[in-house]
Amino acid sequence: MSNASAAEELPTEEIDLALANEVIDKYLTLPGNLMPVLQGIQDGYGFVPKPTIDLVAERLNVYPSQIYGVLTFYAQFHLKPRGKYIIRVCVGTACHVQGAERITETFFDRLHIGHAETSADLRYTFEKVACLGACGMAPLAMVNDDTYGKMTVQKVDEIIETYNQRPMK
Ligand code: FES
């Protein structure tokens, strides 16, 4: 994704910049402060909203293009809102052999979202991920910090039913 296209896709709604200003205040005089500032902003908002990028550029005296460069280079940063429940399906070799593709496709089908997408109600974000280090439980899925091994299509439906009942706050 180019920096320009990343900027075009960003949500443009108004946000309260007080939190971003607090984060910037905290790191303002420290050398190498761009990464901790961006991390602090993401921790606070759940992603890095566009208005905070303009604010960081102005207050840290860096070009917005530099900030987009950092944000798009490091996978830990997100430029769009994420779901409350992050579903990760492992597509590493062991999980692939055990049918991860079918699990992935079932999530896509049930949630109407694809890889790295978030449902319109912000309940779910779906991500395919590399080996999660528990190959003996393949195929493996996670929802936030909860692990689900030996996944089946039926388990996909059970997981979705469970998390559909969970609160959004
Ligand atoms: S390949 Fe999926 S957990 Fe290792």
Side-chain angles (χ1 to χ4, degrees):
M1 177 192 305
S2 73
N3 292 349
S5 67
E8 282 158 18
E9 290 171 17
L10 295 178
T12 54
E13 68 269 19
E14 290 295 315
I15 61 143
D16 182 356
L17 291 173
L19 192 152
N21 272 312
E22 267 177 46
V23 173
I24 296 168
D25 289 343
K26 186 174 167 190
Y27 295 103
L28 194 58
T29 58
L30 298 179
N33 53 9
L34 183 56
M35 286 292 280
V37 162
L38 295 176
Q39 191 62 60
I41 287 172
Q42 173 154 289
D43 290 346
Y45 294 96
F47 70 111
V48 183
K50 181 177 186 314
T52 69
I53 296 171
D54 298 334
L55 181 72
V56 171
E58 190 186 316
R59 293 200 58 200
L60 297 191
N61 198 25
V62 293
Y63 290 111
S65 59
Q66 270 179 274
I67 300 175
Y68 284 114
V70 170
L71 293 173
T72 51
F73 182 79
Y74 292 99
Q76 80 218 54
F77 291 118
H78 306 290
L79 291 162
K80 293 192 238 178
R82 308 236 306 152
K84 178 163 177 69
Y85 301 106
I86 312 294
I87 298 171
R88 297 184 173 94
V89 171
C90 176
V91 293
T93 305
C95 289
H96 175 75
V97 168
Q98 294 295 326
E101 191 64 29
R102 187 148 184 244
I103 302 306
T104 299
E105 291 301 327
T106 306
F107 274 115
F108 288 174
D109 178 64
R110 305 297 195 259
L111 300 177
H112 308 291
I113 54 175
H115 168 64
E117 291 181 357
T118 297
S119 59
D121 62 0
L122 297 183
R123 182 173 287 275
Y124 297 110
T125 292
F126 183 93
E127 294 174 345
K128 294 183 193 179
V129 293
C131 180
L132 289 164
C135 309
M137 294 166 68
L140 197 76
M142 290 187 75
V143 183
N144 294 353
D145 294 330
D146 294 331
T147 301
Y148 298 90
K150 308 278 182 197
M151 284 295 297
T152 60
V153 166
Q154 189 185 337
K155 280 192 181 179
V156 170
D157 287 326
E158 288 168 5
I159 287 171
I160 292 171
E161 205 179 314
T162 299
Y163 284 87
N164 278 348
Q165 310 294 328
R166 299 248 175 123
M168 281 297 284
K169 290 287 171 196

